[in-house]
Amino acid sequence: MASKKKVGAYPSGMILFSLTSALFLIGFCGMLVLQSKKLVRYIRENNEVRVFLDKDLDADKLEKLHAEVIKKPYVLYNGTTPQVTFVSKDVAAKEFMADTKENFTNFLNENPLRDSYRIKLQEDYFEESRLQDVKADLESVNGVFEVIYQENIVDEINKNITKIYIIMSVFAVIMLVIIIVLMNNTIRLALYSQRLLIRSMQLVGATNGFIQLPFLRRGMTQGLLSGLIAASLLFILLQVALRNIDGLATLQEPEKIAYLLGAVIILGIIIGLISTFQAVHRYLRLSLDDLY
């Protein structure tokens, strides 16, 4: 004996698979954006400006110079600690010899290098024009001989970062459009077996809202389930990546990751609801001839 059809009861396996796959891809793109933003911030905040000092500064002058430098508005702070590192000329000489594998003391009677400060700047100052202002400001400080930084590379990095963000944003928008179209078609096909039941309910006087309600509930449930599965898969993927990729843990922002996973779940509910509404609404407007 054939089972009795119930309104809103239609095959959902393909819908769950399609929506889960789509939400996973969107969530993966979002996760890449979060990681890349953190990486960009890390690169910017670890870009150092080197401040070379006048020779033969005594301890008092060095202390006053340090106190003046750490008060600058562009100096990066880690909590209450200014990211300003003093490098003596002796340490600088050891670093130079380690990098070049050459010992200049063999042909020079003195160390030509200078004491210096290595200063990490706030992310907002990672621009060529602002770095030039920082350079001019520091060079005006009494006791500073010269300020250097990696010129020209800053704007090039910023341009590449902007290009990457634009490409990823366009890709995410295209993916979202494709997902909505795909889900509309998938749900429309799944509802095909219910078209006559929908028409029968219309003929007995059921309102459109009454007919749509069970379908919308099912669509929201499917969206919620797909979102939960996709969020779980993303979380598992992230944990695997953290265990196998060195240094990835430093780029994590747990709060933003939680917001992203929550957004994936909410997006699943919204897509399931909207796609189901559009598909059911289409069948509600079909003429009798079009139903066949």
Side-chain angles (χ1 to χ4, degrees):
M1 183 176 179
S3 59
K4 185 178 179 181
K5 283 187 178 181
K6 293 182 179 180
V7 64
Y10 56 88
S12 58
M14 183 58 68
I15 294 174
L16 284 174
F17 176 79
S18 300
L19 186 52
T20 299
S21 301
L23 291 172
F24 177 83
L25 288 175
I26 288 181
F28 184 73
C29 289
M31 197 166 287
L32 286 179
V33 169
L34 289 181
Q35 303 298 321
S36 63
K37 280 190 174 182
K38 184 67 175 180
L39 177 60
V40 167
R41 183 178 181 183
Y42 179 82
I43 292 172
R44 287 174 170 171
E45 292 183 347
N46 281 273
N47 179 56
E48 292 182 334
V49 171
R50 298 197 176 189
V51 180
F52 293 96
L53 310 180
D54 291 336
K55 292 186 176 181
D56 302 322
L57 293 177
D58 58 32
D60 289 338
K61 290 182 178 178
L62 283 173
E63 186 176 348
K64 290 180 180 178
L65 180 58
H66 179 267
E68 185 174 355
V69 168
I70 63 175
K71 292 179 181 178
K72 297 295 183 181
Y74 40 75
V75 173
L76 177 67
Y77 273 72
N78 183 6
T80 59
T81 305
Q83 300 302 289
V84 178
T85 305
F86 177 75
V87 180
S88 69
K89 62 181 182 180
D90 294 331
V91 172
K94 291 178 181 179
E95 291 179 351
F96 178 84
M97 288 186 286
D99 291 338
T100 62
K101 309 300 181 184
E102 295 181 3
N103 188 348
F104 56 79
T105 58
N106 293 332
F107 51 87
L108 292 177
N109 295 325
E110 64 175 355
N111 183 353
L113 303 180
R114 296 173 179 268
D115 295 336
S116 66
Y117 284 114
R118 295 177 183 175
I119 304 174
K120 293 181 180 180
L121 305 182
Q122 296 183 31
E123 183 183 6
D124 295 341
Y125 288 85
F126 195 77
E127 295 178 6
E128 191 68 34
S129 60
R130 304 198 75 176
L131 284 173
Q132 290 177 358
D133 293 338
V134 170
K135 173 181 169 70
D137 183 56
L138 286 172
E139 288 182 342
S140 67
V141 176
N142 187 29
V144 173
F145 174 75
E146 183 184 19
V147 177
I148 64 171
Y149 64 91
Q150 292 181 307
E151 298 185 22
N152 302 322
I153 193 174
V154 174
D155 281 347
E156 193 63 31
I157 291 175
N158 284 332
K159 288 178 182 177
N160 291 333
I161 290 171
T162 302
K163 289 178 182 177
I164 291 172
Y165 283 159
I166 291 174
I167 291 172
M168 294 187 72
S169 298
V170 171
F171 178 75
V173 171
I174 292 174
M175 282 294 303
L176 187 59
V177 172
I178 292 174
I179 288 165
I180 293 175
V181 173
L182 177 64
M183 289 307 303
N184 281 340
N185 291 334
T186 304
I187 293 177
R188 188 178 298 171
L189 289 174
L191 289 175
Y192 184 77
S193 62
Q194 296 264 300
R195 70 194 189 286
L196 298 180
L197 182 57
I198 292 173
R199 176 48 57 95
S200 298
M201 294 180 70
Q202 284 181 309
L203 293 175
V204 297
T207 63
N208 288 348
F210 181 83
I211 297 172
Q212 288 175 327
L213 187 59
F215 291 102
L216 296 180
R217 285 176 179 169
R218 189 175 181 87
M220 291 179 64
T221 302
Q222 290 170 339
L224 174 62
L225 185 57
S226 297
L228 289 171
I229 295 173
S232 300
L233 292 175
L234 287 168
F235 182 78
I236 293 171
L237 178 64
L238 179 60
Q239 297 308 308
V240 172
L242 288 173
R243 292 179 182 178
N244 292 277
I245 302 177
D246 294 334
L248 185 61
T250 60
L251 303 179
Q252 300 310 300
E253 295 180 289
E255 185 176 344
K256 290 185 178 180
I257 294 294
Y259 285 145
L260 174 64
L261 297 180
V264 168
I265 296 172
I266 294 173
L267 182 61
I269 296 173
I270 293 173
I271 292 177
L273 179 63
I274 294 175
S275 299
T276 303
F277 174 81
Q278 291 179 339
V280 176
H281 188 65
R282 177 179 180 274
Y283 282 115
L284 289 173
R285 292 185 292 109
L286 287 179
S287 64
L288 187 61
D289 291 337
D290 292 334
L291 286 176
Y292 296 95

PDB file of all heavy atoms in Angstrom, residues 147-171:
ATOM      1  N   VAL A 147      67.566  57.580  10.482  1.00  0.00           N
ATOM      2  CA  VAL A 147      66.466  56.613  10.572  1.00  0.00           C
ATOM      3  C   VAL A 147      66.307  55.947   9.216  1.00  0.00           C
ATOM      4  O   VAL A 147      66.251  56.631   8.186  1.00  0.00           O
ATOM      5  CB  VAL A 147      65.148  57.302  10.974  1.00  0.00           C
ATOM      6  CG1 VAL A 147      63.999  56.293  10.979  1.00  0.00           C
ATOM      7  CG2 VAL A 147      65.280  57.964  12.338  1.00  0.00           C
ATOM      8  N   ILE A 148      66.261  54.624   9.211  1.00  0.00           N
ATOM      9  CA  ILE A 148      66.075  53.908   7.950  1.00  0.00           C
ATOM     10  C   ILE A 148      64.956  52.883   8.095  1.00  0.00           C
ATOM     11  O   ILE A 148      64.662  52.392   9.187  1.00  0.00           O
ATOM     12  CB  ILE A 148      67.373  53.194   7.485  1.00  0.00           C
ATOM     13  CG1 ILE A 148      67.783  52.113   8.480  1.00  0.00           C
ATOM     14  CG2 ILE A 148      68.495  54.190   7.270  1.00  0.00           C
ATOM     15  CD1 ILE A 148      68.915  51.240   7.981  1.00  0.00           C
ATOM     16  N   TYR A 149      64.320  52.556   6.985  1.00  0.00           N
ATOM     17  CA  TYR A 149      63.312  51.500   6.897  1.00  0.00           C
ATOM     18  C   TYR A 149      63.320  50.993   5.459  1.00  0.00           C
ATOM     19  O   TYR A 149      63.968  51.577   4.588  1.00  0.00           O
ATOM     20  CB  TYR A 149      61.923  52.022   7.292  1.00  0.00           C
ATOM     21  CG  TYR A 149      61.370  53.090   6.374  1.00  0.00           C
ATOM     22  CD1 TYR A 149      60.592  52.753   5.275  1.00  0.00           C
ATOM     23  CD2 TYR A 149      61.645  54.441   6.603  1.00  0.00           C
ATOM     24  CE1 TYR A 149      60.086  53.734   4.423  1.00  0.00           C
ATOM     25  CE2 TYR A 149      61.144  55.422   5.763  1.00  0.00           C
ATOM     26  CZ  TYR A 149      60.367  55.058   4.673  1.00  0.00           C
ATOM     27  OH  TYR A 149      59.885  56.023   3.836  1.00  0.00           O
ATOM     28  N   GLN A 150      62.617  49.920   5.216  1.00  0.00           N
ATOM     29  CA  GLN A 150      62.578  49.335   3.874  1.00  0.00           C
ATOM     30  C   GLN A 150      61.661  50.170   2.985  1.00  0.00           C
ATOM     31  O   GLN A 150      60.448  50.009   3.002  1.00  0.00           O
ATOM     32  CB  GLN A 150      62.098  47.886   3.929  1.00  0.00           C
ATOM     33  CG  GLN A 150      63.093  46.952   4.607  1.00  0.00           C
ATOM     34  CD  GLN A 150      62.609  45.516   4.627  1.00  0.00           C
ATOM     35  OE1 GLN A 150      61.503  45.240   5.073  1.00  0.00           O
ATOM     36  NE2 GLN A 150      63.422  44.603   4.143  1.00  0.00           N
ATOM     37  N   GLU A 151      62.237  51.056   2.238  1.00  0.00           N
ATOM     38  CA  GLU A 151      61.454  51.950   1.402  1.00  0.00           C
ATOM     39  C   GLU A 151      60.911  51.215   0.171  1.00  0.00           C
ATOM     40  O   GLU A 151      61.488  50.232  -0.285  1.00  0.00           O
ATOM     41  CB  GLU A 151      62.302  53.154   0.971  1.00  0.00           C
ATOM     42  CG  GLU A 151      62.783  54.003   2.141  1.00  0.00           C
ATOM     43  CD  GLU A 151      63.521  55.247   1.697  1.00  0.00           C
ATOM     44  OE1 GLU A 151      63.306  55.672   0.549  1.00  0.00           O
ATOM     45  OE2 GLU A 151      64.313  55.784   2.496  1.00  0.00           O
ATOM     46  N   ASN A 152      59.811  51.746  -0.360  1.00  0.00           N
ATOM     47  CA  ASN A 152      59.148  51.255  -1.582  1.00  0.00           C
ATOM     48  C   ASN A 152      58.442  49.913  -1.398  1.00  0.00           C
ATOM     49  O   ASN A 152      57.419  49.658  -2.041  1.00  0.00           O
ATOM     50  CB  ASN A 152      60.132  51.149  -2.747  1.00  0.00           C
ATOM     51  CG  ASN A 152      60.793  52.474  -3.065  1.00  0.00           C
ATOM     52  OD1 ASN A 152      60.140  53.514  -2.987  1.00  0.00           O
ATOM     53  ND2 ASN A 152      62.081  52.455  -3.400  1.00  0.00           N
ATOM     54  N   ILE A 153      58.974  49.041  -0.548  1.00  0.00           N
ATOM     55  CA  ILE A 153      58.350  47.724  -0.387  1.00  0.00           C
ATOM     56  C   ILE A 153      56.997  47.829   0.311  1.00  0.00           C
ATOM     57  O   ILE A 153      56.118  47.000   0.113  1.00  0.00           O
ATOM     58  CB  ILE A 153      59.290  46.772   0.399  1.00  0.00           C
ATOM     59  CG1 ILE A 153      58.784  45.332   0.286  1.00  0.00           C
ATOM     60  CG2 ILE A 153      59.383  47.188   1.857  1.00  0.00           C
ATOM     61  CD1 ILE A 153      59.719  44.313   0.898  1.00  0.00           C
ATOM     62  N   VAL A 154      56.814  48.871   1.125  1.00  0.00           N
ATOM     63  CA  VAL A 154      55.580  49.023   1.897  1.00  0.00           C
ATOM     64  C   VAL A 154      54.371  49.203   0.989  1.00  0.00           C
ATOM     65  O   VAL A 154      53.366  48.496   1.114  1.00  0.00           O
ATOM     66  CB  VAL A 154      55.706  50.219   2.866  1.00  0.00           C
ATOM     67  CG1 VAL A 154      54.369  50.471   3.555  1.00  0.00           C
ATOM     68  CG2 VAL A 154      56.787  49.955   3.898  1.00  0.00           C
ATOM     69  N   ASP A 155      54.452  50.162   0.055  1.00  0.00           N
ATOM     70  CA  ASP A 155      53.326  50.397  -0.855  1.00  0.00           C
ATOM     71  C   ASP A 155      53.063  49.180  -1.733  1.00  0.00           C
ATOM     72  O   ASP A 155      51.910  48.882  -2.063  1.00  0.00           O
ATOM     73  CB  ASP A 155      53.609  51.625  -1.735  1.00  0.00           C
ATOM     74  CG  ASP A 155      53.351  52.935  -0.988  1.00  0.00           C
ATOM     75  OD1 ASP A 155      52.731  52.877   0.087  1.00  0.00           O
ATOM     76  OD2 ASP A 155      53.776  53.989  -1.468  1.00  0.00           O
ATOM     77  N   GLU A 156      54.126  48.476  -2.107  1.00  0.00           N
ATOM     78  CA  GLU A 156      53.960  47.282  -2.943  1.00  0.00           C
ATOM     79  C   GLU A 156      53.204  46.197  -2.192  1.00  0.00           C
ATOM     80  O   GLU A 156      52.309  45.539  -2.740  1.00  0.00           O
ATOM     81  CB  GLU A 156      55.337  46.761  -3.366  1.00  0.00           C
ATOM     82  CG  GLU A 156      55.306  45.728  -4.479  1.00  0.00           C
ATOM     83  CD  GLU A 156      54.751  46.277  -5.783  1.00  0.00           C
ATOM     84  OE1 GLU A 156      54.929  47.492  -6.051  1.00  0.00           O
ATOM     85  OE2 GLU A 156      54.133  45.500  -6.527  1.00  0.00           O
ATOM     86  N   ILE A 157      53.533  46.020  -0.921  1.00  0.00           N
ATOM     87  CA  ILE A 157      52.829  45.039  -0.092  1.00  0.00           C
ATOM     88  C   ILE A 157      51.361  45.426   0.062  1.00  0.00           C
ATOM     89  O   ILE A 157      50.464  44.591  -0.057  1.00  0.00           O
ATOM     90  CB  ILE A 157      53.503  44.915   1.293  1.00  0.00           C
ATOM     91  CG1 ILE A 157      54.872  44.249   1.154  1.00  0.00           C
ATOM     92  CG2 ILE A 157      52.621  44.112   2.255  1.00  0.00           C
ATOM     93  CD1 ILE A 157      55.653  44.188   2.441  1.00  0.00           C
ATOM     94  N   ASN A 158      51.108  46.718   0.318  1.00  0.00           N
ATOM     95  CA  ASN A 158      49.729  47.190   0.475  1.00  0.00           C
ATOM     96  C   ASN A 158      48.913  46.977  -0.791  1.00  0.00           C
ATOM     97  O   ASN A 158      47.730  46.600  -0.736  1.00  0.00           O
ATOM     98  CB  ASN A 158      49.719  48.673   0.858  1.00  0.00           C
ATOM     99  CG  ASN A 158      50.099  48.897   2.313  1.00  0.00           C
ATOM    100  OD1 ASN A 158      49.883  48.026   3.146  1.00  0.00           O
ATOM    101  ND2 ASN A 158      50.661  50.044   2.619  1.00  0.00           N
ATOM    102  N   LYS A 159      49.521  47.209  -1.964  1.00  0.00           N
ATOM    103  CA  LYS A 159      48.816  47.007  -3.232  1.00  0.00           C
ATOM    104  C   LYS A 159      48.450  45.538  -3.415  1.00  0.00           C
ATOM    105  O   LYS A 159      47.335  45.203  -3.826  1.00  0.00           O
ATOM    106  CB  LYS A 159      49.685  47.483  -4.398  1.00  0.00           C
ATOM    107  CG  LYS A 159      49.822  48.996  -4.492  1.00  0.00           C
ATOM    108  CD  LYS A 159      50.742  49.383  -5.640  1.00  0.00           C
ATOM    109  CE  LYS A 159      50.934  50.903  -5.707  1.00  0.00           C
ATOM    110  NZ  LYS A 159      51.880  51.304  -6.771  1.00  0.00           N
ATOM    111  N   ASN A 160      49.394  44.654  -3.113  1.00  0.00           N
ATOM    112  CA  ASN A 160      49.135  43.219  -3.260  1.00  0.00           C
ATOM    113  C   ASN A 160      48.062  42.746  -2.283  1.00  0.00           C
ATOM    114  O   ASN A 160      47.220  41.907  -2.621  1.00  0.00           O
ATOM    115  CB  ASN A 160      50.427  42.430  -3.039  1.00  0.00           C
ATOM    116  CG  ASN A 160      51.428  42.634  -4.158  1.00  0.00           C
ATOM    117  OD1 ASN A 160      51.049  42.926  -5.297  1.00  0.00           O
ATOM    118  ND2 ASN A 160      52.709  42.513  -3.863  1.00  0.00           N
ATOM    119  N   ILE A 161      48.081  43.280  -1.061  1.00  0.00           N
ATOM    120  CA  ILE A 161      47.076  42.922  -0.069  1.00  0.00           C
ATOM    121  C   ILE A 161      45.687  43.338  -0.552  1.00  0.00           C
ATOM    122  O   ILE A 161      44.707  42.580  -0.452  1.00  0.00           O
ATOM    123  CB  ILE A 161      47.399  43.583   1.284  1.00  0.00           C
ATOM    124  CG1 ILE A 161      48.635  42.935   1.901  1.00  0.00           C
ATOM    125  CG2 ILE A 161      46.211  43.468   2.245  1.00  0.00           C
ATOM    126  CD1 ILE A 161      49.158  43.669   3.119  1.00  0.00           C
ATOM    127  N   THR A 162      45.586  44.560  -1.093  1.00  0.00           N
ATOM    128  CA  THR A 162      44.301  45.057  -1.611  1.00  0.00           C
ATOM    129  C   THR A 162      43.795  44.176  -2.739  1.00  0.00           C
ATOM    130  O   THR A 162      42.603  43.841  -2.798  1.00  0.00           O
ATOM    131  CB  THR A 162      44.447  46.505  -2.110  1.00  0.00           C
ATOM    132  OG1 THR A 162      44.905  47.336  -1.031  1.00  0.00           O
ATOM    133  CG2 THR A 162      43.119  47.039  -2.618  1.00  0.00           C
ATOM    134  N   LYS A 163      44.691  43.766  -3.634  1.00  0.00           N
ATOM    135  CA  LYS A 163      44.301  42.896  -4.746  1.00  0.00           C
ATOM    136  C   LYS A 163      43.766  41.563  -4.236  1.00  0.00           C
ATOM    137  O   LYS A 163      42.760  41.043  -4.741  1.00  0.00           O
ATOM    138  CB  LYS A 163      45.491  42.658  -5.671  1.00  0.00           C
ATOM    139  CG  LYS A 163      45.907  43.876  -6.486  1.00  0.00           C
ATOM    140  CD  LYS A 163      47.119  43.566  -7.346  1.00  0.00           C
ATOM    141  CE  LYS A 163      47.580  44.792  -8.133  1.00  0.00           C
ATOM    142  NZ  LYS A 163      48.801  44.507  -8.924  1.00  0.00           N
ATOM    143  N   ILE A 164      44.431  41.010  -3.240  1.00  0.00           N
ATOM    144  CA  ILE A 164      44.008  39.719  -2.687  1.00  0.00           C
ATOM    145  C   ILE A 164      42.615  39.837  -2.071  1.00  0.00           C
ATOM    146  O   ILE A 164      41.746  38.981  -2.279  1.00  0.00           O
ATOM    147  CB  ILE A 164      45.026  39.227  -1.637  1.00  0.00           C
ATOM    148  CG1 ILE A 164      46.343  38.852  -2.325  1.00  0.00           C
ATOM    149  CG2 ILE A 164      44.468  38.033  -0.865  1.00  0.00           C
ATOM    150  CD1 ILE A 164      47.465  38.537  -1.360  1.00  0.00           C
ATOM    151  N   TYR A 165      42.374  40.908  -1.307  1.00  0.00           N
ATOM    152  CA  TYR A 165      41.066  41.106  -0.676  1.00  0.00           C
ATOM    153  C   TYR A 165      39.965  41.264  -1.723  1.00  0.00           C
ATOM    154  O   TYR A 165      38.856  40.730  -1.566  1.00  0.00           O
ATOM    155  CB  TYR A 165      41.100  42.335   0.231  1.00  0.00           C
ATOM    156  CG  TYR A 165      41.785  42.111   1.557  1.00  0.00           C
ATOM    157  CD1 TYR A 165      42.285  43.169   2.304  1.00  0.00           C
ATOM    158  CD2 TYR A 165      41.929  40.829   2.085  1.00  0.00           C
ATOM    159  CE1 TYR A 165      42.915  42.958   3.528  1.00  0.00           C
ATOM    160  CE2 TYR A 165      42.558  40.611   3.285  1.00  0.00           C
ATOM    161  CZ  TYR A 165      43.050  41.679   4.012  1.00  0.00           C
ATOM    162  OH  TYR A 165      43.667  41.462   5.213  1.00  0.00           O
ATOM    163  N   ILE A 166      40.262  42.011  -2.802  1.00  0.00           N
ATOM    164  CA  ILE A 166      39.269  42.218  -3.860  1.00  0.00           C
ATOM    165  C   ILE A 166      38.923  40.888  -4.529  1.00  0.00           C
ATOM    166  O   ILE A 166      37.744  40.564  -4.747  1.00  0.00           O
ATOM    167  CB  ILE A 166      39.781  43.233  -4.902  1.00  0.00           C
ATOM    168  CG1 ILE A 166      39.846  44.641  -4.288  1.00  0.00           C
ATOM    169  CG2 ILE A 166      38.888  43.251  -6.140  1.00  0.00           C
ATOM    170  CD1 ILE A 166      40.478  45.672  -5.190  1.00  0.00           C
ATOM    171  N   ILE A 167      39.946  40.102  -4.855  1.00  0.00           N
ATOM    172  CA  ILE A 167      39.734  38.810  -5.515  1.00  0.00           C
ATOM    173  C   ILE A 167      38.898  37.883  -4.624  1.00  0.00           C
ATOM    174  O   ILE A 167      37.945  37.240  -5.089  1.00  0.00           O
ATOM    175  CB  ILE A 167      41.085  38.156  -5.861  1.00  0.00           C
ATOM    176  CG1 ILE A 167      41.787  38.955  -6.971  1.00  0.00           C
ATOM    177  CG2 ILE A 167      40.886  36.702  -6.306  1.00  0.00           C
ATOM    178  CD1 ILE A 167      43.199  38.500  -7.252  1.00  0.00           C
ATOM    179  N   MET A 168      39.235  37.823  -3.338  1.00  0.00           N
ATOM    180  CA  MET A 168      38.509  36.936  -2.425  1.00  0.00           C
ATOM    181  C   MET A 168      37.065  37.411  -2.219  1.00  0.00           C
ATOM    182  O   MET A 168      36.142  36.596  -2.112  1.00  0.00           O
ATOM    183  CB  MET A 168      39.245  36.865  -1.086  1.00  0.00           C
ATOM    184  CG  MET A 168      40.602  36.191  -1.174  1.00  0.00           C
ATOM    185  SD  MET A 168      41.391  35.921   0.426  1.00  0.00           S
ATOM    186  CE  MET A 168      40.385  34.618   1.093  1.00  0.00           C
ATOM    187  N   SER A 169      36.863  38.730  -2.184  1.00  0.00           N
ATOM    188  CA  SER A 169      35.504  39.267  -2.022  1.00  0.00           C
ATOM    189  C   SER A 169      34.643  38.943  -3.236  1.00  0.00           C
ATOM    190  O   SER A 169      33.486  38.528  -3.103  1.00  0.00           O
ATOM    191  CB  SER A 169      35.555  40.783  -1.808  1.00  0.00           C
ATOM    192  OG  SER A 169      36.265  41.108  -0.636  1.00  0.00           O
ATOM    193  N   VAL A 170      35.213  39.131  -4.431  1.00  0.00           N
ATOM    194  CA  VAL A 170      34.484  38.828  -5.661  1.00  0.00           C
ATOM    195  C   VAL A 170      34.147  37.338  -5.722  1.00  0.00           C
ATOM    196  O   VAL A 170      33.025  36.950  -6.080  1.00  0.00           O
ATOM    197  CB  VAL A 170      35.305  39.243  -6.897  1.00  0.00           C
ATOM    198  CG1 VAL A 170      34.663  38.728  -8.179  1.00  0.00           C
ATOM    199  CG2 VAL A 170      35.429  40.767  -6.961  1.00  0.00           C
ATOM    200  N   PHE A 171      35.112  36.505  -5.343  1.00  0.00           N
ATOM    201  CA  PHE A 171      34.894  35.060  -5.350  1.00  0.00           C
ATOM    202  C   PHE A 171      33.773  34.676  -4.388  1.00  0.00           C
ATOM    203  O   PHE A 171      32.912  33.850  -4.721  1.00  0.00           O
ATOM    204  CB  PHE A 171      36.183  34.340  -4.954  1.00  0.00           C
ATOM    205  CG  PHE A 171      36.058  32.844  -4.892  1.00  0.00           C
ATOM    206  CD1 PHE A 171      35.993  32.089  -6.053  1.00  0.00           C
ATOM    207  CD2 PHE A 171      35.991  32.190  -3.673  1.00  0.00           C
ATOM    208  CE1 PHE A 171      35.867  30.706  -5.993  1.00  0.00           C
ATOM    209  CE2 PHE A 171      35.867  30.812  -3.601  1.00  0.00           C
ATOM    210  CZ  PHE A 171      35.804  30.075  -4.774  1.00  0.00           C
TER     211      PHE A 171
END
